[in-house]
Amino acid sequence: MKTQVAIIGAGPAGLLLGHLLKSEGVDCVVLERQTGDYVLGRIRAGVLEQITVGLMERLGLDARLKAEGLVEEGFNLADGERLIRIDVANLTGKTVVVYGQTEITKDLMDAAPSRGLEVIYQAGDVGLHDIESEAPYVTYTKDGKEERIDARFIVGCDGFHGPSRKAIPTSVAREFERVYPFGWLGILADVPPCNHELIYANHERGFALASMRSHTRSRYYVDVPLTEKIEDWSDDRVWDELAIRLGPDAAANITRGPSIEKSIAPLRSYVFEPMRHGSLLLCGDAAHIVPPTGAKGLNLAASDVHYAADALVGFFRRADNDAVIGYSAKALARVWKSERFSWSLTKLMHRFPEDGPFERAMQVAELDYIATSKAAQTSIAENYVGLPV
C-alpha cells in the first residue's frame, strides 16, 4: 500500500489528524494495534479547550458535542475552608466544554467510513523504517500476514508506550521527566455531579477532584500512594473519602452510586524532544505526558495535531517544507507552557510526602493570594481555557 501520510494510533489524536488531512485532500491511512471496541472502552479526559472544540467544528463533526456537551464558565479551588471560584468566562471571554474523550473518539470513528478515512485495526508488530529518508515505510502484521505501507511522512499518535518515539535515535533524543509519588484513584458512576462546575480540593488527607461527564454521570478522584491497590478501595470507602476531602458543602450534594469504572493512574510530567526527526512527527502522548491536573492531555494532543495538519497540508498542497521543519519547535513551545501549568497546579493542590510546614504555608499563601487577586485568577483562567495556538 502507498499513501502520503501513515498515522500510527487510532485514538482521538490519530483520528483527528486523519480527518483533518482527508478534508484537505491529503491521502492517509491510520493503523491501530487494538480493536475499535477496545479504543472506545478507554476512560480518559473530559474537559475540552477551545482548540479541541474548534477542530471538531472545522470538521463538521460537532453536532453531538454541541447537543450533549456541558459548557463550563468556571471551576473551583477548595482549600478546606472555602471554594475559590475561577470565573473563566468573565476573565478570558472563553469557556471549556465537558464532553468525554470517549465521545470524541466515537464521533471521529463513526465518521471515518463515510469520509474515506481508512483505519486498520488489530495491526500488530508495527515497525517504522527509514524515517531519516524521504521514503519511510511502516510494517505490521494483520491476520498472520506481514504488510507494508510506503509513505512520505509517518505521524506517531500511538501514546507513551507505542513504537514511534522509540524509532528516533537516542543520539538526538532528550527526555525530561518528573514522576509524582502518588496516583489518582478515579471512580466513574451514573449519578448527578455534586456541583455544576469542577472542584479541585486541597485537604489535609490529600487531593480530591469532583468532575462530571454529563448531568447524570460523575467522575471523581482522590490521590493515593502508589503502593495502594484498587481492590482495597470499595465504592463506599471512595465515597467516604471524597465526602471528607471535598468539604461539607460539596459532600452534602454528593449522590452515591455503584462504580462503573474504577482505577488508579500514576502521575508524571514527561517531555520528549524533538517532536520531529526526518520524516517522522510525534503528536500527543507519544511525545509528552502531563498530570491530569488542569485537563491538558487531550487538549495538548489536539494542538499538536493542529500544527501537524497545517504543516503537512502546506507540504503537499504548496510544496512548503518550512512548517514541517519548524513543527517540533512550534509544538514544544505550547507543550512546555502546558506542562508548567499542570505541574504548578499539581504542586499547589497536592500534599507531597517530602513537604513540611514551610511548603504547606506556601500553599496556603498561594491559595489566599489567588482568592484575593484578579491578576492571579486571570493567569490561571488563561491557562485553564487554553493558550493560543
Side-chain angles (χ1 to χ4, degrees), residues 73-76 84-94 197 377-378 381:
E73 297 186 345
F75 70 99
N76 304 277
I84 304 168
R85 183 170 186 266
I86 308 298
D87 191 339
V88 171
N90 278 332
L91 291 167
T92 68
K94 300 176 183 177
E197 295 179 337
Q377 292 180 16
T378 301

mmCIF file of all heavy atoms in Angstrom, residues 73-76 84-94 197 377-378 381:
data_model
loop_
_atom_site.group_PDB
_atom_site.id
_atom_site.type_symbol
_atom_site.label_atom_id
_atom_site.label_comp_id
_atom_site.label_asym_id
_atom_site.label_seq_id
_atom_site.Cartn_x
_atom_site.Cartn_y
_atom_site.Cartn_z
ATOM 1 N N GLU A 73 -18.308 27.674 32.518
ATOM 2 C CA GLU A 73 -17.820 29.051 32.554
ATOM 3 C C GLU A 73 -16.803 29.296 33.659
ATOM 4 O O GLU A 73 -16.235 30.385 33.761
ATOM 5 C CB GLU A 73 -18.993 30.016 32.710
ATOM 6 C CG GLU A 73 -19.962 29.967 31.536
ATOM 7 C CD GLU A 73 -21.042 31.016 31.626
ATOM 8 O OE1 GLU A 73 -21.208 31.603 32.738
ATOM 9 O OE2 GLU A 73 -21.720 31.267 30.606
ATOM 10 N N GLY A 74 -16.564 28.291 34.493
ATOM 11 C CA GLY A 74 -15.600 28.452 35.576
ATOM 12 C C GLY A 74 -15.330 27.119 36.255
ATOM 13 O O GLY A 74 -15.888 26.088 35.900
ATOM 14 N N PHE A 75 -14.445 27.161 37.248
ATOM 15 C CA PHE A 75 -14.171 25.990 38.085
ATOM 16 C C PHE A 75 -13.737 26.492 39.453
ATOM 17 O O PHE A 75 -13.586 27.700 39.668
ATOM 18 C CB PHE A 75 -13.118 25.084 37.452
ATOM 19 C CG PHE A 75 -11.724 25.650 37.423
ATOM 20 C CD1 PHE A 75 -10.781 25.278 38.373
ATOM 21 C CD2 PHE A 75 -11.351 26.563 36.441
ATOM 22 C CE1 PHE A 75 -9.495 25.789 38.346
ATOM 23 C CE2 PHE A 75 -10.068 27.084 36.404
ATOM 24 C CZ PHE A 75 -9.140 26.704 37.352
ATOM 25 N N ASN A 76 -13.551 25.567 40.400
ATOM 26 C CA ASN A 76 -13.318 25.943 41.786
ATOM 27 C C ASN A 76 -12.069 25.282 42.355
ATOM 28 O O ASN A 76 -11.770 24.136 42.052
ATOM 29 C CB ASN A 76 -14.518 25.535 42.651
ATOM 30 C CG ASN A 76 -15.816 26.124 42.164
ATOM 31 O OD1 ASN A 76 -16.142 27.269 42.472
ATOM 32 N ND2 ASN A 76 -16.573 25.358 41.382
ATOM 33 N N ILE A 84 -12.863 28.708 46.065
ATOM 34 C CA ILE A 84 -12.353 29.858 45.326
ATOM 35 C C ILE A 84 -12.757 29.653 43.866
ATOM 36 O O ILE A 84 -12.225 28.782 43.178
ATOM 37 C CB ILE A 84 -10.820 29.960 45.439
ATOM 38 C CG1 ILE A 84 -10.393 30.019 46.908
ATOM 39 C CG2 ILE A 84 -10.305 31.178 44.665
ATOM 40 C CD1 ILE A 84 -8.892 29.819 47.113
ATOM 41 N N ARG A 85 -13.732 30.428 43.415
ATOM 42 C CA ARG A 85 -14.224 30.229 42.050
ATOM 43 C C ARG A 85 -13.374 31.025 41.062
ATOM 44 O O ARG A 85 -13.139 32.220 41.232
ATOM 45 C CB ARG A 85 -15.682 30.649 41.915
ATOM 46 C CG ARG A 85 -16.239 30.371 40.506
ATOM 47 C CD ARG A 85 -17.746 30.561 40.430
ATOM 48 N NE ARG A 85 -18.220 30.152 39.107
ATOM 49 C CZ ARG A 85 -18.377 30.990 38.077
ATOM 50 N NH1 ARG A 85 -18.114 32.286 38.226
ATOM 51 N NH2 ARG A 85 -18.790 30.537 36.899
ATOM 52 N N ILE A 86 -12.913 30.343 40.018
ATOM 53 C CA ILE A 86 -12.191 30.991 38.933
ATOM 54 C C ILE A 86 -13.201 31.211 37.800
ATOM 55 O O ILE A 86 -13.623 30.254 37.134
ATOM 56 C CB ILE A 86 -11.005 30.132 38.446
ATOM 57 C CG1 ILE A 86 -10.120 29.708 39.623
ATOM 58 C CG2 ILE A 86 -10.209 30.882 37.390
ATOM 59 C CD1 ILE A 86 -9.467 30.855 40.367
ATOM 60 N N ASP A 87 -13.596 32.451 37.591
ATOM 61 C CA ASP A 87 -14.632 32.800 36.615
ATOM 62 C C ASP A 87 -13.990 32.910 35.232
ATOM 63 O O ASP A 87 -13.678 34.000 34.740
ATOM 64 C CB ASP A 87 -15.297 34.116 37.014
ATOM 65 C CG ASP A 87 -16.556 34.398 36.211
ATOM 66 O OD1 ASP A 87 -16.704 33.822 35.122
ATOM 67 O OD2 ASP A 87 -17.380 35.209 36.679
ATOM 68 N N VAL A 88 -13.802 31.763 34.617
ATOM 69 C CA VAL A 88 -13.072 31.690 33.356
ATOM 70 C C VAL A 88 -13.718 32.555 32.276
ATOM 71 O O VAL A 88 -13.034 33.269 31.534
ATOM 72 C CB VAL A 88 -12.975 30.218 32.890
ATOM 73 C CG1 VAL A 88 -12.420 30.129 31.480
ATOM 74 C CG2 VAL A 88 -12.099 29.423 33.852
ATOM 75 N N ALA A 89 -15.032 32.503 32.170
ATOM 76 C CA ALA A 89 -15.732 33.222 31.099
ATOM 77 C C ALA A 89 -15.525 34.726 31.208
ATOM 78 O O ALA A 89 -15.212 35.403 30.212
ATOM 79 C CB ALA A 89 -17.218 32.880 31.123
ATOM 80 N N ASN A 90 -15.694 35.275 32.392
ATOM 81 C CA ASN A 90 -15.540 36.721 32.554
ATOM 82 C C ASN A 90 -14.085 37.157 32.466
ATOM 83 O O ASN A 90 -13.787 38.262 32.003
ATOM 84 C CB ASN A 90 -16.139 37.171 33.896
ATOM 85 C CG ASN A 90 -17.641 37.346 33.825
ATOM 86 O OD1 ASN A 90 -18.187 37.643 32.761
ATOM 87 N ND2 ASN A 90 -18.314 37.139 34.940
ATOM 88 N N LEU A 91 -13.177 36.309 32.908
ATOM 89 C CA LEU A 91 -11.762 36.685 32.919
ATOM 90 C C LEU A 91 -11.111 36.549 31.544
ATOM 91 O O LEU A 91 -10.146 37.249 31.239
ATOM 92 C CB LEU A 91 -11.004 35.810 33.929
ATOM 93 C CG LEU A 91 -11.340 36.058 35.406
ATOM 94 C CD1 LEU A 91 -10.791 34.935 36.272
ATOM 95 C CD2 LEU A 91 -10.774 37.408 35.867
ATOM 96 N N THR A 92 -11.621 35.657 30.710
ATOM 97 C CA THR A 92 -10.976 35.401 29.409
ATOM 98 C C THR A 92 -11.900 35.587 28.211
ATOM 99 O O THR A 92 -11.429 35.663 27.073
ATOM 100 C CB THR A 92 -10.431 33.962 29.336
ATOM 101 O OG1 THR A 92 -11.526 33.038 29.307
ATOM 102 C CG2 THR A 92 -9.538 33.655 30.527
ATOM 103 N N GLY A 93 -13.203 35.617 28.446
ATOM 104 C CA GLY A 93 -14.146 35.663 27.336
ATOM 105 C C GLY A 93 -14.324 34.318 26.658
ATOM 106 O O GLY A 93 -14.946 34.229 25.597
ATOM 107 N N LYS A 94 -13.792 33.244 27.264
ATOM 108 C CA LYS A 94 -13.865 31.909 26.680
ATOM 109 C C LYS A 94 -14.431 30.922 27.702
ATOM 110 O O LYS A 94 -14.544 31.236 28.891
ATOM 111 C CB LYS A 94 -12.473 31.440 26.226
ATOM 112 C CG LYS A 94 -11.829 32.337 25.183
ATOM 113 C CD LYS A 94 -10.423 31.864 24.860
ATOM 114 C CE LYS A 94 -9.739 32.788 23.867
ATOM 115 N NZ LYS A 94 -8.340 32.366 23.593
ATOM 116 N N GLU A 197 -19.891 22.798 38.408
ATOM 117 C CA GLU A 197 -18.540 23.098 37.950
ATOM 118 C C GLU A 197 -17.540 22.222 38.701
ATOM 119 O O GLU A 197 -17.816 21.752 39.807
ATOM 120 C CB GLU A 197 -18.198 24.575 38.175
ATOM 121 C CG GLU A 197 -19.044 25.518 37.338
ATOM 122 C CD GLU A 197 -18.725 26.980 37.592
ATOM 123 O OE1 GLU A 197 -18.188 27.306 38.670
ATOM 124 O OE2 GLU A 197 -19.037 27.802 36.713
ATOM 125 N N GLN A 377 -6.070 35.106 39.332
ATOM 126 C CA GLN A 377 -7.177 34.340 38.769
ATOM 127 C C GLN A 377 -7.163 34.389 37.242
ATOM 128 O O GLN A 377 -7.446 33.389 36.578
ATOM 129 C CB GLN A 377 -8.504 34.855 39.307
ATOM 130 C CG GLN A 377 -8.704 34.590 40.788
ATOM 131 C CD GLN A 377 -10.035 35.122 41.301
ATOM 132 O OE1 GLN A 377 -10.943 35.422 40.528
ATOM 133 N NE2 GLN A 377 -10.149 35.248 42.616
ATOM 134 N N THR A 378 -6.819 35.538 36.677
ATOM 135 C CA THR A 378 -6.763 35.670 35.219
ATOM 136 C C THR A 378 -5.681 34.769 34.635
ATOM 137 O O THR A 378 -5.883 34.112 33.604
ATOM 138 C CB THR A 378 -6.503 37.131 34.815
ATOM 139 O OG1 THR A 378 -7.549 37.957 35.329
ATOM 140 C CG2 THR A 378 -6.448 37.283 33.300
ATOM 141 N N ALA A 381 -6.984 31.276 34.739
ATOM 142 C CA ALA A 381 -8.068 31.108 33.766
ATOM 143 C C ALA A 381 -7.531 31.026 32.344
ATOM 144 O O ALA A 381 -7.995 30.214 31.537
ATOM 145 C CB ALA A 381 -9.057 32.262 33.894
#
